[in-house]
Amino acid sequence: MKTNDHRIRNYSEVIAREYGEKGSEERVKFEEEAYAFYSGLIVLEARKRAKITQEELARRIGADKSYISRIEKGITNPSAATFFRIVNALGLCVALV
């Protein structure tokens, strides 16, 4: 994405041009990868704030350390159930607004 010419952009158009229109196969794939990346960042930051290791978090939710690592790197997008188990294990809550 070449957008470093310091012009204000409509990023919806930039994303559509780069990854296709909403609903297209390419766009859906991009959005799934973006959600996985963002979810991973949330887990990573929350785990660090809780001052626990990947191994400890994995133990608390009944998973492997490598699974937590893949989530934090955005390689794996956890199911909703797993995400809520992680949130609970970190002593957090989810608010739907």
Side-chain angles (χ1 to χ4, degrees):
M1 203 181 312
K2 297 178 183 176
T3 58
N4 59 356
D5 60 4
H6 306 290
R7 291 186 183 170
I8 295 174
R9 303 230 186 274
N10 176 336
Y11 277 93
S12 294
E13 291 174 9
V14 172
I15 291 172
R17 195 169 46 249
E18 189 74 21
Y19 300 103
E21 294 299 323
K22 279 192 175 263
S24 70
E25 190 174 317
E26 188 178 10
R27 178 72 171 265
V28 168
K29 183 176 185 277
F30 163 75
E31 289 172 345
E32 287 174 358
E33 289 172 357
Y35 292 139
F37 176 78
Y38 184 61
S39 297
L41 287 179
I42 291 170
V43 171
L44 174 65
E45 291 300 316
R47 181 181 61 77
K48 285 184 175 182
R49 274 195 309 275
K51 297 180 178 165
I52 65 170
T53 64
Q54 288 178 341
E55 189 172 356
E56 174 60 19
L57 178 56
R59 187 193 64 73
R60 290 181 186 187
I61 69 163
D64 295 328
K65 177 183 175 262
S66 63
Y67 182 63
I68 301 300
S69 176
R70 289 192 311 275
I71 291 171
E72 290 181 354
K73 291 177 182 175
I75 296 168
T76 298
N77 198 3
S79 68
T82 300
F83 189 76
F84 281 103
R85 284 200 330 262
I86 291 169
V87 165
N88 185 53
L90 293 171
L92 303 172
C93 64
V94 173
L96 302 174
V97 252

